[in-house]
DNA sequence: CCAAAGAAAGCAATTGATAACTTTCATTGG
DNA sequence: CCAATGAAAGTTATCAATTGCTTTCTTTGG
């Protein structure tokens, strides 16, 4: 099991690279991570990286794809775990926040991608993630309207935007002050307010 | 009146540099703006820039300070223009959104600053802006509680975070899809939901 | 009033640093 | 033996900042 061989397989190295980037992004500006640093962090020479990735851009794409897949699967699993639309939304909210706490480098990476004007592969991955995420939220909100947990008069689209914005607002604050505590502490209160915004008025 | 002189004063050049950076940031990744581009955009040679700024960092600091001052003064003016706390909040919300529409490069600049771990002058400017902004919001929310427009049972701090997060969520969406239309259209609906979140329940 | 001095603004070329990527050659394991 | 893996040294490009020199504006002494 414990491979004592010096040479690792290409797949192992690619997985190591993703992990290395995530760890480095947690402690420094992701935009300033160099291939030299990534290589050093995974016990490889700088040039050795290019045996497994054709370019630095391909490394980023791989990392972003891992993030999109992982976050979506966690949020989707959270959505299924609850037995009412509102509780599903709450579980999704908390799963998203928990992911940001577990991988503090990820929001920093995403914010770094935002300013780019070109449609980078990374940006496309984020946009597609946000779309799938939005569809899941739309479904839960519509279900909520059906069963009377959510007010039918509100715009579902606006509620989706508010949900995502609420999470992002918390994350931005945490990133800005470099303090994940803001996230853990603020999340329940933030969701409570979101719930007030969408609940059925009497 | 129309200065036909070839050499401009240091103050004029500094103001031109701020304008140039804002315009360039609107169409490209702010992090990739070079001193060569800034200089070219203001009709100056690359080296000429350094007659008026001691470093590229000083240029950024100057731009960020302009942004913080301008945005805060606009939001504060909007807050004063309305005659009830809720309407003040709405005016502030719209003023913030309008600013982001007028200077689309600004959010991109700010998002680009977020990933940096060091406390850059720019990041400090953003944090201080956010703090003053938060105080203004806190004041209005407390006034709203006093006059019965805002529910007393909600956390003011959480409401501030929700307000800021809502605006940021709208802006992120606009930046991600490169479409300012999202902002104009989504803003009224977004504020309507925020209002539902903080209003007094019957 | 006005020329000379010098301060300020500007350009063009250069420097030094750093990054991604390439090439060459040694080593490993099947 | 040989193909895959990796290290080390190189290549090319880019960018901020500096330097030496020229041009323009301003001030001042006679």
């Amino acid at each position: 099991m414990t491979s004592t061989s010096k040479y690792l397989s290409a797949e192992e190295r690619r997985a190591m690279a993703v992990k290395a980037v995530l760890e480095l992004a947690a402690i420094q500006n992701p935009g300033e991570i160099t291939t030299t640093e990534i290589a050093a962090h995974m016990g490889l020479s700088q040039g050795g990286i290019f045996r497994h990735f054709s370019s630095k851009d391909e490394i980023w794409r791989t990392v972003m794809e891992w993030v999109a897949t992982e976050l979506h699967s966690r949020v989707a699993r959270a959505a299924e775990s609850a037995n009412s639309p509102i509780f599903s939304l709450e579980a999704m909210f908390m799963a998203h926040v928990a992911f940001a706490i577990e991988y503090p480098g990820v929001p920093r990476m995403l914010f770094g991608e935002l300013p780019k004007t070109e449609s980078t592969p990374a940006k496309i991955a984020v946009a597609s993630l946000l779309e799938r995420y939005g569809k899941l939220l739309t479904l839960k909100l519509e279900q909520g309207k059906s069963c009377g947990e959510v007010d039918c008069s509100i715009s579902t689209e606006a509620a989706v935007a508010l949900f995502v914005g609420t999470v992002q607002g918390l994350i931005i604050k945490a990133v800005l002050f470099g303090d994940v505590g803001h996230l853990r502490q603020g999340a329940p209160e933030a969701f409570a307010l979101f719930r007030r915004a969408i609940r059925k008025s009497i």
Side-chain angles (χ1 to χ4, degrees), chain A:
Chain A
M1 206 44 63
T2 53
S3 157
T4 47
S5 89
K6 189 176 170 184
Y7 292 164
L8 301 180
S9 77
E11 252 337 289
E12 282 174 305
R13 284 294 191 199
R14 290 176 68 93
M16 280 179 74
V18 169
K19 200 182 158 210
V21 169
L22 288 171
E23 284 171 5
L24 288 169
I27 56 170
Q28 73 178 261
N29 182 359
E32 284 169 8
I33 296 174
T34 63
T35 53
T36 305
E37 284 174 299
I38 298 171
H41 202 263
M42 51 194 284
L44 208 59
S45 69
Q46 188 264 340
I49 285 270
F50 294 94
R51 296 266 175 212
H52 308 294
F53 294 92
S54 65
S55 68
K56 193 188 184 185
D57 205 62
E58 202 204 329
I59 302 177
W60 278 106
R61 205 183 320 140
T62 307
V63 174
M64 288 297 182
E65 274 160 14
W66 180 90
V67 167
T69 304
E70 183 68 15
L71 176 59
H72 186 263
S73 86
R74 288 195 191 196
V75 169
R77 211 181 312 135
E80 288 166 18
S81 73
N83 50 12
S84 97
I86 280 280
F87 286 133
S88 273
L89 287 168
E90 186 170 20
M92 291 168 75
F93 193 95
M94 296 308 167
H96 191 151
V97 168
F99 186 80
I101 291 171
E102 188 174 342
Y103 298 99
V106 169
R108 308 152 64 83
M109 286 169 48
L110 300 186
F111 288 135
E113 287 297 316
L114 279 182
K116 299 182 186 168
T117 43
E118 334 91 67
S119 279
T120 60
K123 237 181 135 180
I124 292 170
V126 176
S128 106
L129 165 66
L130 218 59
E131 202 193 323
R132 285 195 298 162
Y133 197 155
K135 280 196 179 132
L136 206 51
L137 288 172
T138 301
L139 178 68
K140 288 298 165 189
L141 284 164
E142 295 294 344
Q143 285 177 2
K145 283 183 181 180
S146 296
C147 72
E149 283 181 353
V150 176
D151 195 306
C152 291
S153 70
I154 68 164
S155 153
T156 300
E157 205 186 332
V160 169
L162 185 67
F163 183 100
V164 176
T166 305
V167 182
Q168 283 165 343
L170 280 172
I171 292 175
I172 286 178
K173 213 172 150 186
V175 168
L176 193 58
F177 295 105
D179 174 20
V180 186
H182 279 98
L183 262 178
R184 268 235 155 72
Q185 209 173 351
E189 271 186 344
F191 185 78
L193 274 184
F194 171 76
R195 191 173 171 164
R196 281 179 60 99
I198 62 167
R199 73 180 171 176
K200 198 156 198 162
S201 27
I202 316 154

